[in-house]
């Protein structure tokens, strides 16, 4: 049973940085395409970044150049480094995993979800 546990959220000022982590329990993370999604109040959940089993990545246009997704398969952990944060980045950030090998930001692609970690930028 795959369990995803996010951490690293918090409150920062605009221009600041945060690194989110997602620990994968109950499975070998290297077998999964992983992704970060976010959902702001009153808005749809949207894809932020994804990385497949081979390390290929894709990003939403809104975060390109500011965010980097990476994975440590030995630690079974996914990361999202976010720099130059903006108020519009404020959202609950979710980690997701899919057993299919293709990095993409389609919410329906992912079967497993974490509980989320809050990011607030002021």
């Amino acid at each position: 049973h795959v369990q995803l546990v996010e951490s690293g959220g918090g409150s920062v000022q605009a221009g600041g940085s945060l690194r989110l982590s997602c620990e994968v329990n109950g499975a070998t993370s290297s077998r999964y395409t992983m992704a970060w999604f976010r959902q702001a109040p009153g808005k749809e959940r949207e894809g932020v970044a994804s990385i497949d089993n081979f390390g290929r990545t894709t990003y939403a246009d809104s975060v390109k150049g500011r965010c980097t997704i990476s994975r440590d398969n030995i630690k079974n952990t996914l990361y999202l480094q976010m720099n130059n944060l903006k108020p519009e980045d404020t959202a609950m950030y979710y980690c997701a995993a899919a057993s299919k090998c293709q990095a993409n930001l389609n919410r329906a692609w992912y079967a497993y979800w974490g509980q989320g970690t809050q990011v607030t930028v002021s």
Side-chain angles (χ1 to χ4, degrees), residues 1-119:
H1 179 62
V2 180
Q3 290 186 322
L4 307 176
V5 181
E6 303 96 333
S7 62
S11 296
V12 297
Q13 292 188 336
S17 298
L18 282 174
R19 189 176 81 154
L20 306 183
S21 299
C22 172
E23 183 178 339
V24 180
N25 298 315
T28 302
S29 64
S30 61
R31 297 180 179 177
Y32 295 85
T33 290
M34 305 291 297
W36 289 98
F37 285 74
R38 67 186 181 186
Q39 188 168 17
K43 294 189 176 181
E44 293 288 319
R45 190 172 298 190
E46 63 175 1
V48 176
S50 175
I51 183 168
D52 72 8
N53 315 52
F54 298 100
R56 295 172 296 201
T57 59
T58 189
Y59 294 91
D61 288 342
S62 58
V63 303
K64 280 181 181 176
R66 300 190 297 119
C67 293
T68 302
I69 188 171
S70 62
R71 62 195 303 166
D72 185 331
N73 290 331
I74 295 175
K75 294 183 177 179
N76 247 17
T77 301
L78 175 74
Y79 302 101
L80 183 69
Q81 177 67 44
M82 301 189 294
N83 300 322
N84 190 22
L85 283 161
K86 304 176 180 181
E88 51 264 43
D89 294 317
T90 295
M92 184 72 78
Y93 282 71
Y94 297 91
C95 174
S99 56
K100 296 171 280 190
C101 181
Q102 182 182 357
N104 75 87
L105 301 179
N106 181 354
R107 181 178 172 181
W109 192 254
Y110 297 88
Y112 306 101
W113 294 84
Q115 294 300 306
T117 185
Q118 178 67 38
V119 171

